[in-house]
């Protein structure tokens, strides 16, 4: 038996759906997570967990917090360098800002550098799993998979498919897209901690022939995930309706090609119809809610209450570079803030925010048997955060004797500077350099 490690800290996790189960939050002020062979053996009060294994080596992180590895359900790897181009709306931003940068990924050296920076930024922000839009180029998408594998992160990604209405150099003929995607699937899907996602950019930029390719890929390979964009911006929705006159709504374009259901994650869904929500709930298509991006691009406010009422599941995504950065706690805070100021908004509590940044993402990716919380048997994907001495977070948690309030403060004030150690299957993928 290999050596066990016992992490001692305040622990928060949500082993259940925090919207369905009011007391889903598990919080242990003096907590322990026992890890053996990369798996969680037990998590709970330190004294109880200690009694399970007297030999385990304790890593004393008292004064800090351990939460499950954060899960980003929507992010674009080629957009690392364009975060913060504010003041535009989706279609205009794509043309002026995002797509020229995505075209630079044809240079494999540039793509590799970008992939390395991207993977480092995920890890250093505590994101251990991400559903990532790859590049429009197979070699650049392969570079992302390779960098993620080298770092040890869990990445679900795929070649971005488009054959119209973008810059011509980003278009692929459907048969070439099929060939390239098939090869990437053979190389990376199910290897190490990688999975492949069929990734049509959005209905606007994919012809019916390209959507057929997506359908074929999903049919030909077991366990592929699907990701795309849906109902992000009113002009985009109107244009999709014009391009697909036979479709009752945006979602029915994807449905016609079998790109819905469990394992399919649609980003945004700011402007859904009731009929779309009803069908997504029935089919278990998940939404990646990206509140920073929705605000930055002026796309609108996510109708969270309508998703909840309809029973549509959703997780959180940063949508870098339309979004404002890699921080999933910041994304959770933004979700809370936007809902607070919208008419008919939903007042999200700390437990729901943690759930959305962790377990909900695991459920969206159909990885909830493996990751998303600290239950026994799961992979030890964990983040250790510690308030900087003298910081507002330190002040907020020092005097708090209510663990829900402490978690709320951690979500509000827990910036990347607090992240000290990030583990995937018990092994550090990021450690902060802290002056001693
Ligand atoms: Zn996006």
């Amino acid at each position: 038996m290999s050596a066990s490690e016992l992490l001692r800290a305040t622990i928060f996790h949500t082993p259940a759906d925090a919207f369905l189960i009011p007391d889903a939050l598990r919080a242990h002020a003096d907590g322990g997570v026992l890890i053996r062979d990369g798996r969680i053996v037990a998590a709970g009060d330190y004294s109880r967990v200690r009694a399970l294994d007297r030999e385990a080596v304790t890593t004393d992180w008292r004064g800090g917090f351990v939460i499950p590895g954060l899960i980003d359900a929507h992010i674009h790897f080629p957009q690392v360098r364009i975060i913060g181009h504010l003041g535009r709306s989706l279609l205009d931003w794509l043309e002026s800002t995002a797509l020229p940068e995505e075209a630079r990924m044809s240079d494999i050296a540039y793509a590799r550098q970008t992939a390395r920076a991207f993977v480092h930024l995920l890890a250093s922000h505590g994101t251990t799993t991400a559903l990532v839009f790859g590049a429009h180029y197979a070699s650049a998408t392969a570079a992302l998979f390779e960098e993620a594998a080298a770092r040890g992160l869990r990445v679900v990604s795929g070649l971005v498919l488009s054959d119209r209405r973008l810059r011509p150099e980003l278009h692929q003929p459907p048969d070439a897209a099929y060939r390239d995607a098939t090869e990437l699937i053979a190389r990376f899907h199910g290897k190490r901690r990688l999975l492949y996602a069929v990734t049509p950019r959005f209905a606007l930029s994919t012809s019916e022939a390209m959507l057929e390719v997506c359908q074929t890929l999903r049919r030909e390979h077991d366990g592929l995930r699907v990701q795309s964009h849906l109902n992000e911006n009113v002009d985009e929705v109107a244009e999709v309706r014009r391009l697909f006159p036979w479709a009752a709504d945006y979602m029915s374009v994807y449905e016609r090609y079998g790109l819905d259901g469990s394992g399919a994650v649609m980003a945004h869904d700011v402007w859904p119809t009731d009929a779309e929500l009803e069908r997504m709930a029935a089919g278990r298509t998940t939404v990646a809610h990206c509140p920073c991006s929705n605000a930055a691009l002026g796309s609108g406010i996510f109708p969270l209450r309508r998703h909840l009422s309809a029973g549509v599941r959703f997780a959180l995504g940063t949508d870098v570079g339309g979004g404002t950065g890699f921080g999933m706690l910041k994304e959770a805070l933004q979700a809370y803030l936007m809902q607070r100021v919208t008419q008919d908004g939903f007042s999200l509590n700390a437990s729901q925010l943690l759930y959305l940044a962790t377990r909900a993402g695991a459920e969206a990716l159909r990885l909830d048997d493996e990751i998303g919380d600290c239950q026994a048997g799961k992979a030890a994907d964990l983040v250790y955060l510690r308030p900087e001495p003298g910081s507002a977070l330190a002040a907020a948690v020092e005097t708090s004797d209510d663990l829900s309030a402490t978690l709320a403060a951690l979500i509000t004030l827990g910036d990347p500077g607090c992240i000290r150690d990030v583990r995937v299957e018990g092994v550090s993928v990021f450690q902060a350099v802290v002056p001693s």
Side-chain angles (χ1 to χ4, degrees), residues 164-165 204 235-247:
R164 63 176 175 184
R165 298 175 67 91
L204 196 77
D235 295 336
E236 170 217 16
V237 175
E239 198 56 13
V240 167
R241 291 204 166 202
R242 201 182 63 75
L243 288 168
F244 297 91
W246 50 262

Side-chain angles (χ1 to χ4, degrees), residues 12 20 51 56-57 91 169 179 225 243 261 277 331 349 367 391:
F12 295 112
L20 299 177
V57 177
L91 298 179
E169 65 266 44
R179 242 184 358 258
R225 288 10 178 211
L243 288 168
L277 290 174
E331 203 66 43
N349 63 36
L367 291 173
S391 65

Side-chain angles (χ1 to χ4, degrees), residues 163-231:
D163 60 346
R164 63 176 175 184
R165 298 175 67 91
L166 305 180
R167 302 162 68 90
E169 65 266 44
L170 296 178
H171 297 158
Q172 315 106 313
D175 56 341
Y178 173 78
R179 242 184 358 258
D180 284 350
T182 301
E183 199 183 301
L184 288 168
I185 291 166
R187 277 177 73 188
F188 298 112
H189 180 56
K191 307 283 165 66
R192 318 250 328 218
R193 295 169 184 142
L194 309 175
L195 290 170
Y196 193 89
V198 177
T199 309
R201 184 166 198 117
F202 57 166
L204 196 77
S205 69
T206 43
S207 69
E208 299 190 23
M210 189 63 102
L211 291 166
E212 268 173 37
V213 165
C214 295
Q215 180 171 33
T216 305
L217 290 168
R218 197 180 190 193
R219 202 181 279 147
E220 287 180 348
H221 303 274
D222 286 337
L224 297 189
R225 288 10 178 211
V226 173
Q227 59 179 340
S228 197
H229 294 94
L230 175 71
N231 292 324

Side-chain angles (χ1 to χ4, degrees), residues 389-408:
S391 65
L393 178 59
V397 301
E398 217 166 52
T399 50
S400 170
D401 53 6
D402 168 350
L403 286 174
S404 287
T406 302
L407 176 59

Side-chain angles (χ1 to χ4, degrees), residues 319-397:
D319 196 24
V320 161
T324 60
F326 283 74
M328 284 295 293
L329 296 182
K330 180 173 90 166
E331 203 66 43
L333 176 64
Q334 181 78 6
Y336 167 82
L337 294 172
M338 300 289 284
Q339 291 299 313
R340 287 293 291 173
V341 295
T342 189
Q343 217 178 2
D344 198 33
F346 185 92
S347 186
L348 292 157
N349 63 36
S351 161
Q352 288 158 344
L353 295 173
L354 180 66
Y355 164 74
L356 286 174
T358 56
R359 191 184 157 95
E363 290 169 351
L365 288 167
R366 291 208 326 242
L367 291 173
D368 47 308
D369 286 344
E370 180 74 3
I371 53 170
D373 59 56
C374 301
Q375 292 184 87
K378 293 214 170 173
D381 290 16
L382 301 163
V383 184
Y384 163 46
L385 305 103
R386 188 173 195 91
E388 291 288 330
S391 65
L393 178 59
V397 301

Side-chain angles (χ1 to χ4, degrees), residues 74-76 79 133 229 232 267-268 290 319-320:
H74 183 65
I75 184 162
H76 297 254
Q79 297 180 8
F133 264 61
H229 294 94
E232 179 173 359
H268 301 290
C290 309
D319 196 24
V320 161

